[in-house]
Amino acid sequence: MDLTLINVELKPPGEPMKTARRFVHTATTASLTAVLTGAAMGGATAVSTPQDFARTGSLRIAATAGGPVTSPPRGVAAQWVDTTDAPSGITVKLPGRAKVEHDSFTLSGKTYQIRRYKVSVGKNKVAFEVVDMHGADPKPELDPAVRGAAASISGTITRNQPLKVAGHSAREGRITFDNHGVPSVTLVRSVAADDHLVGLVAGGPATDEHGVKQLYQQLTSSLRIP
């Protein structure tokens, strides 16, 4: 979900210039014209098409320096959607709709099946994972899960600590790694949810660690275990 900060200048006939700055999804200029005319006017003027406004006033739209942003600004959280892992009933909110991916996962010498839901937000990524433990206790696997996440990306663990999440044992880690020459960071939380192991992950370039943390906080705070 790429977002761009744009400047909008509007001058309706007989009225002073009005300006606004808005974060918008990447779109065509025509689409932005239709949406932002009403936004910058505070909703006071309804414009059905860009052509209508072009006949009655002037409009200029320009992206600010820097182009697309890599993390959602304040207010975009409302666009996050509930994502439920049907077999377990475990739910989180993700910044967009994700299709389930099925994969295998080796932990402490045992192979488990994992269901993964991923969404990209600019250069950052968010993932929600559920592993069926088939009756095994997931708590002993919390630390190996964090270490396994680091090993899978040849990363270095800079933090790995225990915590409780709504009464469930959990482990949280910070991992730094090199992503094709780009210094990057991943934040990961593993939660023992009855007979499931839940993984919550947010990662991206180290230069946007603040954005990664925002994504991670929204992701982890939305976890609901039935």
Side-chain angles (χ1 to χ4, degrees):
M1 181 179 65
D2 288 338
L3 299 169
T4 300
L5 179 61
I6 65 171
N7 292 323
V8 186
E9 295 181 356
L10 303 100
K11 189 181 185 308
E15 296 185 24
M17 179 73 72
K18 297 178 182 290
T19 62
R21 303 183 80 194
R22 292 289 187 273
F23 281 99
V24 298
H25 294 287
T26 301
T28 64
T29 300
S31 296
L32 293 176
T33 302
V35 172
L36 291 170
T37 297
M41 296 290 289
T45 300
V47 179
S48 58
T49 68
Q51 291 75 19
D52 289 340
F53 192 78
R55 286 194 295 268
T56 58
S58 63
L59 169 67
R60 187 174 69 177
I61 298 174
T64 62
V69 297
T70 58
S71 58
R74 186 176 301 172
V76 177
Q79 298 177 13
W80 287 50
V81 296
D82 283 339
T83 302
T84 300
D85 175 63
S88 66
I90 298 170
T91 298
V92 299
K93 288 184 181 294
L94 292 176
R97 299 195 178 279
K99 292 184 178 180
V100 61
E101 300 176 3
H102 297 271
D103 201 353
S104 59
F105 183 74
T106 301
L107 204 58
S108 300
K110 297 180 181 179
T111 300
Y112 300 94
Q113 296 302 307
I114 182 172
R115 294 179 294 278
R116 182 180 294 113
Y117 308 80
K118 295 190 301 184
V119 176
S120 295
V121 184
K123 295 181 180 180
N124 297 337
K125 298 183 184 300
V126 177
F128 161 47
E129 304 170 341
V130 180
V131 179
D132 293 325
M133 300 300 292
H134 303 295
D137 184 1
K139 289 192 289 294
E141 306 299 345
L142 293 172
D143 180 68
V146 174
R147 296 185 182 280
S152 69
I153 54 177
S154 300
T156 300
I157 297 175
T158 61
R159 184 177 70 250
N160 184 2
Q161 60 191 31
L163 70 157
K164 287 285 187 179
V165 176
H168 297 273
S169 297
R171 198 94 188 175
E172 187 168 73
R174 177 182 181 273
I175 303 166
T176 58
F177 66 104
D178 181 273
N179 184 14
H180 303 289
V182 178
S184 301
V185 61
T186 287
L187 304 177
V188 57
R189 178 176 293 181
S190 296
V191 183
D194 301 322
D195 59 347
H196 298 94
L197 184 64
V198 180
L200 304 173
V201 183
T207 54
D208 189 29
E209 185 165 358
H210 177 70
V212 172
K213 287 180 178 178
Q214 286 184 317
L215 292 171
Y216 180 73
Q217 289 169 358
Q218 293 195 59
L219 173 67
T220 55
S221 65
S222 72
L223 176 64
R224 299 197 300 274
I225 300 172

